[in-house]
Amino acid sequence: MAELRTAVTGDSTVPVVVPGGDRDSRFARRLIIAGATILSVVALVAVFAPLLSPWGETEIDPANTLVAPGGNHLLGTDGNGMDIWSRMLYAARLDLGIALAAVALAVVVGTLLGLIAGYFGGWLDDVLMRVVDIFQSFPTFILALAVAALLGNGTINLIITIAAVNAPAYARLVRAEVRSLRELPFVDAAITSGASPVGVLWRHLLPNSLTPVRVIAPLNCGWAMLTLAGLSFLGLGVSIPEAEWGAMISLGAADVVGGRWWTSVPPGLALFVCVLGFSLLGEGLQDRANAKRR
């Protein structure tokens, strides 16, 4: 939004319209800093989990089951006698690792498919986009449930599952960028100079088509964490006793009714904070990109 200000020219005052892009850029910068700060703290906690947790990830204190927060257990224990605080810290490793790996795999596969479909077009474009349409015709989490049930549990399978339901969006996004870029003069110049199709794709189209991908990827990391938590909550993700926020929420859900909130609320808050960090970072990057276009 533009702002109306005044400028003094000689003996008169003249109204001047000043674009509001600077203000938008400052707000976007604040969002990026806030999101990056949250994620940096979570990453540090995940890396130094063994130093910050007095108990092991699956270590059991049989004499203290469902103990309220305090004493030797900062956030209490669950029904198996495992320390909530320690498990919550170790879970950050798994949740962040799976989410980042899944989104990275989705970006690589989706970008490759989008580059091929957008540049070559024709029947290859039709076939690839119809496959993408099939994937995108299902609700995302329902598709994740189906793929997870087909592949089974396990870290690698979860990464593949989450990547499979995210890759089609990147493929369509990159395809649209490539289709608009391939008509520009610099692509014709590269082809005229003798560049191979692979060279045109790698050197010219790929770098110029990744801007929207860089904006969407952080937002998808948050969604990937929610998907992982949802699958684990339903028993299709990480198996207990391995520490994962969704599995911890599922394990302690019945305890909340009995007033033992500490078994599921802390991991739920940890998941919320981490997703918030990715959302702020993604929104900030998107606002900054929009401000530059204006």
Side-chain angles (χ1 to χ4, degrees):
M1 183 180 294
E3 298 178 11
L4 185 62
R5 299 180 182 176
T6 58
V8 178
T9 58
D11 297 329
S12 60
T13 302
V14 180
V16 178
V17 176
V18 180
D22 291 342
R23 183 173 59 188
D24 294 340
S25 297
R26 286 196 299 269
F27 181 69
R29 193 180 304 114
R30 293 190 186 100
L31 289 178
I32 293 172
I33 292 174
T37 301
I38 292 173
L39 294 176
S40 297
V41 171
V42 174
L44 288 174
V45 166
V47 170
F48 295 105
L51 300 178
L52 298 173
S53 55
W55 297 81
E57 178 183 357
T58 58
E59 189 176 357
I60 295 175
D61 184 2
N64 293 287
T65 58
L66 292 176
V67 172
N72 293 329
H73 300 281
L74 183 62
L75 290 179
T77 62
D78 60 15
N80 295 318
M82 292 185 286
D83 185 72
I84 298 295
W85 169 255
S86 300
R87 286 175 57 76
M88 196 171 69
L89 297 184
Y90 279 100
R93 290 180 163 189
L94 187 63
D95 282 69
L96 278 177
I98 290 179
L100 293 175
V103 172
L105 179 60
V107 168
V108 171
V109 174
T111 299
L112 179 61
L113 295 177
L115 284 172
I116 294 172
Y119 182 74
F120 292 103
W123 67 269
L124 187 58
D125 179 31
D126 291 337
V127 172
L128 291 177
M129 287 304 102
R130 296 300 77 77
V131 174
V132 168
D133 288 340
I134 292 173
F135 273 83
Q136 292 190 313
S137 64
F138 294 95
T140 307
F141 188 70
I142 300 300
L143 181 60
L145 285 174
V147 177
L150 179 65
L151 296 180
N153 294 348
T155 301
I156 300 300
N157 288 341
L158 286 171
I159 292 173
I160 295 174
T161 296
I162 298 172
V165 298
N166 276 281
Y170 291 107
R172 188 170 293 281
L173 187 64
V174 172
R175 171 185 176 270
E177 290 290 316
V178 171
R179 285 175 65 90
S180 63
L181 290 170
R182 71 179 184 180
E183 306 298 333
L184 297 180
F186 76 90
V187 176
D188 292 333
I191 296 174
T192 304
S193 66
S196 65
V198 175
V200 173
L201 287 171
W202 180 256
R203 295 181 182 177
H204 302 284
L205 292 178
L206 177 62
N208 290 286
S209 62
L210 288 181
T211 299
V213 173
R214 287 194 293 266
V215 172
I216 299 300
L219 294 172
N220 272 3
C221 285
W223 184 90
M225 295 193 75
L226 290 175
T227 303
L228 172 61
L231 292 174
S232 297
F233 185 88
L234 296 175
L236 293 174
V238 176
S239 301
I240 299 170
E242 194 171 3
E244 193 279 323
W245 288 332
M248 292 177 67
I249 295 171
S250 175
L251 186 63
D255 297 325
V256 175
V257 180
R260 295 179 288 272
W261 54 269
W262 58 86
T263 58
S264 59
V265 171
L269 290 176
L271 178 63
F272 166 77
V273 169
C274 202
V275 173
L276 176 64
F278 280 118
S279 298
L280 291 176
L281 180 60
E283 289 292 338
L285 292 173
Q286 188 170 14
D287 289 349
R288 187 172 68 176
N290 292 337
K292 287 182 178 179
R293 281 197 292 267
R294 288 198 292 268

